[in-house]
Amino acid sequence: MSVDTLSAGTDSPRPSRWRERLMVALAVLASALLLWLASGQIVTALAYALGVGCLAIALSFAARPREAAETSEYAPPDWSVTHAAIERGEEATAIIDRAGRLTCANARFADCFGIGAAPPRLVGLAGADSEALEGAARTAWRDGKAAFEPIVAGGREWRLEIERAGRGQDFLIWRFAPVVHRDPLQDVIGHVRGKVGSALGREGIQIAAVAPDGHIHAANTLFAARATGEAEADVAGTDFVGYFSADEQERIFYAREGNRGASVRMLHVPIADPDAVASGSAAADPGQTASLFFLIDNQGGVGDTRTGIPQIEALLARLPLGLAMTDRDGRFLFANKAFLRAAGHDENGPPPYPSDLVIREDKGALADAVRRFAQGAGGAGDVAVRLRVAPEDPVSLSLAGVRGLGEGAVILSLKDSSEETRLKREIAQATKMQAVGQLAGGVAHDFNNVLTAIIGYCDLMLMRHTPGDSDYDDIQQIRANSNRAASLTRQLLAFSRQQTLRPEVLQLPDVVAEISTLLKRLLGEKILLEVTHDRGLGLVRADPVQLEQVLLNLAVNARDAMTGNGGSGGIPATKGGGVLRLKTRRITSADVRAMKSEILPIGDYTALIVEDTGHGIPPAQIGKIFEPFFTTKEKGKGTGLGLSTVYGIVKQSGGFIFAESEVGKGTRFSIYFPVHVPDAADVAEAAAAATAARLPAPRKQWSGGGRVLLVEDEDTVRAVAERALVRQGYEVTTASDGEDGLEALGRAISAGEEFDLVVSDVVMPSMDGPAMVREIRALRPELPVLFMSGYAEEQLRREIDIPGMYFLAKPFSVAQICTAVEDVLKRR
């Protein structure tokens, strides 16, 4: 299949109407002829034909606008136009649909990846990159956008951007942009020939980039003028040393000028490839790398070691790069403002030594590096250090040994990487939260199996005891603590975004109004609750029960911060109460652009803001507050799951949450929910749901009993479920995994027996529940299935997609599993 085939248009020419009109004319003439033969009056026949013909012409012209509108509205898409639009030079672009099929691709994509497979399944892709692309695709389907860099495919590195598009949001656009690795030597050559070289020339400094073999790569016009006598002369490819001579006192002159010209002092700076330096290859050897030579006229006498330093200082002070210079003993000679700003040094001048800028553990390493470059052969390299102003974030300090500047021995370069560090910290935090979320979800799932067994056995024991028995209270206590543990697992599932949600289209002020009364009782008399709403708020789609949980958790934290129950980090909470403000705000796309946030996508949002006047959160803790089991409260006064639950609910609802805090002034949580625009399908679904709510659900009467196939790999859970169903009158056949379940079904069919229901776990070894059910449906298509799982129902339905499927959340009690089985059988 070629790219042209994928992008070929599907338009067809409009059918001609002339044949239709001819048939109408013949029919009119025939009817007029019959009228003439029947009546014998030719005038009447002609008048009839003329009237009918005029009417037909009028109807034909009246139908043209409608036909044009229908053609415009229902015209099929022309993929050739899309194909022409995505031809964008070096960028490889492909479009896939919901089924993962390649719908359209440009020529660059076909050349690099072929069209035999659609992304993310690309030819020649490494296993790690393949898994990462699968995750990026899921993120793009969920969030609308995703990015990944770098990816190695097709023999080169790419930067990937994925965007969801289409009227029904049913397509993913994959854009692969090639990653270009810049050559440091070519960058230097460009600067020498460009504005930097011109600026140096105006300051009287000649500069040349020289290859390891001594030939010139590039030079500024001042060097060309001094060396050849012509400013526009092309000196590239000529011998650098050949332009100079020396006298008995080892002073260096331009050969063209001789001893009558001014002597020059050379500053030699090797150009080392950072990748070569990091790898320790031969390319990092100063003798095998290109070099920069700065030449300064020596206006002083012989041996004047400070000659040229003022010019160098004036030059480096103007550059936006963070540059400094030390002498052979490692003392600072000078440092420009960019260097001091990047190092976080507030004073006007530099400290005595570079090691004064770093933490105590890195002082020795930096001092040794400066001494090595000052005393050894000229070279360049990097050293990782931690600055005193930011001890947790290592930075790269570049060093280059220089010769010919008297006291100047080492040039240091430091880049202001505060913004880069912030972005790295946010990415690391997001990655950590994702990993912790996956771990929390897995732990909660396994823990739910244990709690199911404990709660089930408690229920079975309570059936044999009455409230007057001595063991009754103990069993009730065990059951109550098990339910408390179950609530903790639900919070873990909420944090890992695997909780079962029941989203509805709603207005945030309605949710706030429903819970305001409860919040006032919860906050007490010392805390004032202020609620304000914007006008024209957009609709949001979320679970109202979970939104109330979000508000409760944030309100409890705010109350503790304002009444003395939440002091942390050595900061006492306020004792006299405070103010809790709940606000809803309308956020437009223009507002989001003004925020300049790298996290919040451009769009319309409805914001929920919860702000208190408590003690605030220290900056060192603000990045950890959403992690599970992290709490700022005293020991024994918090589980650390409140804010992690809030984070999970917001993210699972498609929203974004940000925390801002200032110690001593309070904390502000801002939650952004995308504005929901109902489409025709949503309106029809809402109308159908309203109609169904007014009508009684059609159910067949189930007399009780029945044959149940129970498949569960956890022995204790299987035993509890079996005993509960047997006590209820069901005939239960058990199996420990999917393969055993299929064998049990096969034995029943061979014996001429049938099961009324399959109750199965989802995650099992060997063969899981969904795979087993698909095999069962091939034999018994109408057999209902009740899945048991600790994961979210919404997530399971999206991943499993089996019709006639029902769901029972773990942990469940004996009464809950019996009720669930009965409800499913009544719907048969």
Side-chain angles (χ1 to χ4, degrees):
M1 182 182 295
S2 66
V3 178
D4 294 331
T5 304
L6 287 171
S7 59
T10 58
D11 292 341
S12 59
R14 294 174 55 188
S16 174
R17 294 182 56 86
W18 289 108
R19 181 177 300 176
E20 179 182 348
R21 294 171 180 170
L22 180 60
M23 297 298 294
V24 172
L26 291 176
V28 171
L29 291 176
S31 61
L33 181 61
L34 291 176
L35 181 61
W36 176 38
L37 294 176
S39 64
Q41 297 182 6
I42 189 171
V43 177
T44 302
L46 291 175
Y48 168 79
L50 182 60
V52 173
C54 290
L55 178 62
I57 293 172
L59 292 175
S60 175
F61 280 99
R64 285 184 181 181
R66 181 181 177 186
E67 180 182 286
E70 291 178 353
T71 302
S72 175
E73 183 177 357
Y74 297 105
D78 187 354
W79 285 105
S80 63
V81 177
T82 306
H83 179 261
I86 63 178
E87 287 293 345
R88 298 173 61 183
E90 291 297 313
E91 188 176 274
T93 307
I95 303 175
I96 67 172
D97 58 12
R98 282 278 184 184
R101 296 171 297 193
L102 187 63
T103 305
C104 187
N106 64 0
R108 181 64 173 165
F109 181 89
D111 294 340
C112 295
F113 307 110
I115 56 174
R121 297 176 295 277
L122 299 178
V123 178
L125 197 62
D129 285 345
S130 178
E131 294 179 3
L133 284 194
E134 292 280 356
R138 290 192 294 269
T139 300
W141 281 121
R142 184 185 67 243
D143 298 339
K145 289 184 179 180
F148 186 78
E149 180 182 4
I151 172 178
V152 180
R156 65 182 307 175
E157 291 186 11
W158 303 85
R159 181 180 68 255
L160 171 63
E161 293 181 357
I162 312 174
E163 182 178 0
R164 192 178 65 209
R167 287 189 297 269
Q169 298 290 299
D170 290 333
F171 295 91
L172 280 187
I173 303 175
W174 296 69
R175 297 187 179 95
F176 296 85
V179 176
V180 179
H181 293 283
R182 302 185 63 182
D183 184 358
L185 177 59
Q186 294 302 319
D187 290 343
V188 170
I189 291 174
H191 289 312
V192 170
R193 291 174 175 170
K195 295 181 179 179
V196 174
S198 300
L200 291 170
R202 288 193 296 270
E203 298 293 335
I205 299 176
Q206 306 108 62
I207 182 173
V210 182
D213 60 2
H215 289 84
I216 299 175
H217 283 300
N220 65 353
T221 56
L222 182 59
F223 177 89
R226 294 287 301 275
T228 65
E230 298 181 6
E232 302 300 325
D234 185 9
V235 297
T238 60
D239 184 23
F240 175 75
V241 178
Y243 289 115
F244 300 96
S245 62
D247 62 5
E248 295 80 2
Q249 297 176 337
E250 297 185 353
R251 292 181 299 178
I252 300 175
F253 300 87
Y254 278 98
R256 188 184 66 84
E257 299 175 347
N259 292 349
R260 66 182 181 277
S263 63
V264 295
R265 187 177 298 277
M266 290 186 182
L267 170 64
H268 172 223
V269 180
I271 306 172
D273 185 350
D275 295 334
V277 173
S279 63
S281 65
D285 185 355
Q288 300 186 24
T289 62
S291 302
L292 270 180
F293 284 92
F294 296 87
L295 295 99
I296 306 168
D297 289 348
N298 191 355
Q299 302 296 338
V302 178
D304 187 359
T305 59
R306 283 290 300 176
T307 301
I309 290 292
Q311 294 97 322
I312 292 292
E313 291 183 9
L315 168 67
L316 298 185
R318 298 182 182 183
L319 295 178
L321 304 175
L323 297 171
M325 181 176 289
T326 69
D327 60 16
R328 295 185 182 278
D329 295 328
R331 295 184 180 89
F332 270 122
L333 294 176
F334 70 90
N336 63 7
K337 293 182 179 179
F339 184 91
L340 297 177
R341 184 171 56 251
H345 191 69
D346 297 331
E347 301 178 11
N348 292 330
Y353 295 93
S355 57
D356 294 332
L357 298 172
V358 302
I359 64 175
R360 181 170 53 85
E361 291 81 358
D362 292 344
K363 286 180 179 291
L366 179 57
D368 291 342
V370 173
R371 190 180 305 109
R372 183 171 63 254
F373 283 101
Q375 297 177 358
D382 296 333
V383 58
V385 296
R386 290 164 292 179
L387 299 174
R388 293 174 59 185
V389 294
E392 296 182 358
D393 301 316
V395 297
S396 178
L397 181 65
S398 300
L399 301 94
V402 294
R403 302 294 179 266
L405 281 182
E407 295 180 12
V410 180
I411 288 182
L412 295 89
S413 174
L414 183 61
K415 178 183 176 183
D416 186 358
S417 58
S418 57
E419 183 67 15
E420 181 181 354
T421 301
R422 185 183 65 82
L423 292 175
K424 287 182 178 179
R425 187 184 297 112
E426 290 181 356
I427 293 174
Q429 178 69 8
T431 304
K432 180 173 66 174
M433 294 289 281
Q434 181 180 6
V436 173
Q438 293 176 348
L439 174 63
V443 170
H445 174 263
D446 293 338
F447 197 40
N448 275 333
N449 281 331
V450 177
L451 292 175
T452 300
I454 296 174
I455 294 173
Y457 278 116
C458 286
D459 288 343
L460 293 174
M461 293 174 67
L462 288 174
M463 293 178 183
R464 301 193 303 269
H465 293 77
T466 60
D469 291 346
S470 59
D471 296 335
Y472 184 84
D473 292 338
D474 294 338
I475 300 172
Q476 283 284 27
Q477 189 65 33
I478 295 172
R479 195 180 191 282
N481 282 280
S482 300
N483 288 326
R484 180 184 175 190
S487 68
L488 294 179
T489 61
R490 282 192 294 270
Q491 289 180 298
L492 286 175
L493 288 173
F495 167 73
S496 60
R497 308 179 211 174
Q498 297 173 4
Q499 190 180 28
T500 299
L501 296 182
R502 306 292 183 188
E504 300 177 8
V505 178
L506 46 84
Q507 284 278 11
L508 281 182
D510 296 337
V511 179
V512 175
E514 286 287 337
I515 201 173
S516 292
T517 304
L518 176 60
L519 288 180
K520 291 178 181 178
R521 291 199 301 266
L522 184 69
L523 296 174
E525 298 179 355
K526 291 185 178 181
I527 298 176
L528 176 64
L529 177 64
E530 294 182 358
V531 180
T532 57
H533 302 295
D534 271 359
R535 294 183 178 181
L537 295 174
L539 297 171
V540 300
R541 189 171 186 272
D543 187 336
V545 177
Q546 297 302 321
L547 286 184
E548 292 179 359
Q549 183 68 42
V550 167
L551 285 171
L552 283 173
N553 288 359
L554 293 178
V556 167
N557 281 354
R559 179 200 64 188
D560 294 343
M562 292 186 288
T563 58
N565 295 323
S568 64
I571 303 170
T574 58
K575 297 289 186 179
V579 180
L580 176 64
R581 299 181 180 91
L582 299 183
K583 308 174 187 178
T584 55
R585 292 288 180 264
R586 180 173 177 262
I587 308 296
T588 64
S589 301
D591 297 329
V592 178
R593 290 190 186 94
M595 294 179 189
K596 297 181 180 180
S597 172
E598 294 89 358
I599 300 176
L600 194 64
I602 303 297
D604 295 331
Y605 295 87
T606 297
L608 174 63
I609 299 172
V610 182
E611 187 175 12
D612 65 62
T613 57
H615 56 69
I617 303 173
Q621 297 178 353
I622 194 71
K624 303 177 182 179
I625 58 175
F626 293 119
E627 297 179 8
F629 305 114
F630 177 83
T631 178
T632 61
K633 300 178 182 179
E634 297 176 4
K635 186 176 181 180
K637 291 189 177 181
T639 63
L641 289 175
L643 288 179
S644 65
T645 302
V646 169
Y647 176 84
I649 293 173
V650 171
K651 299 302 290 184
Q652 193 174 357
S653 301
F656 301 86
I657 182 169
F658 302 93
E660 305 170 62
S661 186
E662 187 173 351
V663 175
K665 293 187 177 181
T667 304
R668 174 190 178 105
F669 289 92
S670 302
I671 304 173
Y672 298 86
F673 291 104
V675 171
H676 177 75
V677 180
D679 54 18
D682 290 337
V683 175
E685 182 180 353
T691 303
R694 292 192 298 267
L695 298 175
R699 290 190 179 185
K700 295 182 180 180
Q701 293 297 323
W702 184 260
S703 59
R707 291 179 55 85
V708 177
L709 175 60
L710 175 63
V711 187
E712 169 63 59
D713 61 310
E714 288 286 340
D715 296 338
T716 54
V717 177
R718 184 172 66 250
V720 168
E722 179 184 9
R723 290 179 59 181
L725 295 176
V726 169
R727 289 180 63 92
Q728 202 67 17
Y730 297 100
E731 183 180 345
V732 181
T733 301
T734 62
S736 59
D737 55 34
E739 293 181 350
D740 289 347
L742 287 177
E743 292 179 2
L745 179 66
R747 291 193 298 270
I749 294 175
S750 300
E753 300 174 349
E754 295 292 341
F755 287 110
D756 300 303
L757 174 65
V758 176
V759 180
S760 174
D761 191 13
V762 176
V763 180
M764 295 183 294
S766 183
M767 177 183 285
D768 60 16
M772 178 197 68
V773 170
R774 291 187 181 95
E775 296 288 340
I776 291 176
R777 286 292 174 84
L779 302 174
R780 294 293 184 266
E782 302 299 326
L783 186 60
V785 178
L786 174 63
F787 278 119
M788 308 176 294
S789 179
Y791 290 110
E793 177 181 359
E794 190 178 79
Q795 177 185 0
L796 291 177
R797 289 189 182 278
R798 184 171 57 251
E799 295 179 356
I800 297 175
D801 192 21
I802 296 177
M805 178 183 78
Y806 301 91
F807 179 81
L808 175 62
K810 291 181 179 178
F812 51 78
S813 64
V814 168
Q816 286 174 331
I817 188 173
C818 293
T819 301
V821 170
E822 182 180 357
D823 288 344
V824 173
L825 292 176
K826 285 181 178 179
R827 286 179 168 86
R828 291 196 62 184

